[in-house]
Amino acid sequence: SKVAVTSTLAAAGGGIISATIGRVLEGYFSLPRVCNGILAGLVSITAGCSVVDTGDALAIGIIGAFVYYSASRFLERIKVDDPLDAWAVHGCGGAWGVIAVGLFASSENIAFAQYNEILIQSTKGYRLSLQIFAVFIIIIWVIVWIGGLFYLLNKLEILRVNEDIEREGLDSHDHGGVAVDYKRGYVIKDKATARAMTVFGRGSAASGSGSGSGSASSGDDDNNNNEYDINQRPKRTRKKIEYKYDDDDDGEKEDDDDDQESEQYIPDNDNGGDASDDDSAYEMPENEFSDNDE
């Protein structure tokens, strides 16, 4: 049906754009970003899934991903703890989805969805004003009822767990494990590292290494030495290690076609791209099974 198509397109647009934003601005593909981007696309299209065209549904999901990412970073900037990005996805994404109905809904689609004649005949500006007013009413409703509930829970001292459990994490305390590694899944807090890992940081690092640094002061050089250089990470090279298994009872090895091979990635700390031959490189022995094994 039409609702299924528009919802799927919005989710796809939100997920792809969130993955791209994370890769460009944070330096890596973040699974939580992708999942929340898909959710943001779905939340954004919920209000208008039956009254917008398929192309508009994709645009709504894409814009919803930008809204989600901006809201998520805003909460981090003001140091508000929202580990699941619930407000960014459902609050801001939902508000955008309600407003998007007034921007993208057409009279033909409204008639197809069998809404009343007043909405079908109304202008786009009138419908947009209704949607903005609806967002305002929803915000007031949430502040009154949910704010009142939280105030009551806080007075009863059951709103929050103690500080030790907060630091440990509710997943670890209540369930004995961590659901998502947010230290890796979200923003890298070290600014120099985060800047170097982004697409823009890679470009500036490459241009900076090729240009002269005569005008730089000694203090700037010291600061640059402390910054993370993405090009200095240990490289990983591939080595083939062959394991030979003897299926005969006499204990003699045979070089037949059934020999099994294994591939390993050997870290190279020389930054030269070639696998190092020192003892620091981990390598399994070539003959894992000795002749004396029976």
Side-chain angles (χ1 to χ4, degrees), residues 16 18 42 78 91 111 167 173 207 215 226 274 276 278 292:
I16 293 173
S18 292
L42 290 171
I78 64 176
R167 293 183 178 278
H173 182 269
S207 61
S215 60
N226 294 328
D274 296 331
S276 58
D278 56 7
N292 297 326

Side-chain angles (χ1 to χ4, degrees), residues 184-257:
R184 176 59 180 164
Y186 276 93
V187 179
I188 296 177
K189 300 304 180 183
D190 181 67
K191 293 182 178 180
T193 303
R195 183 169 58 252
M197 289 185 67
T198 62
V199 172
F200 305 108
R202 291 172 184 267
S204 62
S207 61
S209 62
S211 59
S213 57
S215 60
S217 62
S218 60
D220 293 337
D221 292 337
D222 295 336
N223 292 332
N224 292 333
N225 291 332
N226 294 328
E227 290 188 357
Y228 177 84
D229 187 358
I230 194 65
N231 297 318
Q232 297 300 320
R233 293 181 300 175
K235 298 181 180 179
R236 304 174 73 86
T237 56
R238 176 173 294 181
K239 279 186 178 181
K240 284 189 176 181
I241 302 175
E242 183 175 335
Y243 299 95
K244 297 182 179 180
Y245 300 90
D246 183 14
D247 295 333
D248 297 335
D249 296 334
D250 55 2
E252 296 181 358
K253 297 182 177 61
E254 293 181 358
D255 296 330
D256 52 15
D257 296 336

Side-chain angles (χ1 to χ4, degrees), residues 50-51 108-115:
S50 62
V51 294
E108 294 79 7
N109 288 321
I110 295 175
F112 178 79
Q114 299 181 0
Y115 283 95

Side-chain angles (χ1 to χ4, degrees), residues 45-58:
I45 197 59
T46 298
C49 58
S50 62
V51 294
V52 299
D53 294 325
T54 53
D56 295 334
L58 183 62

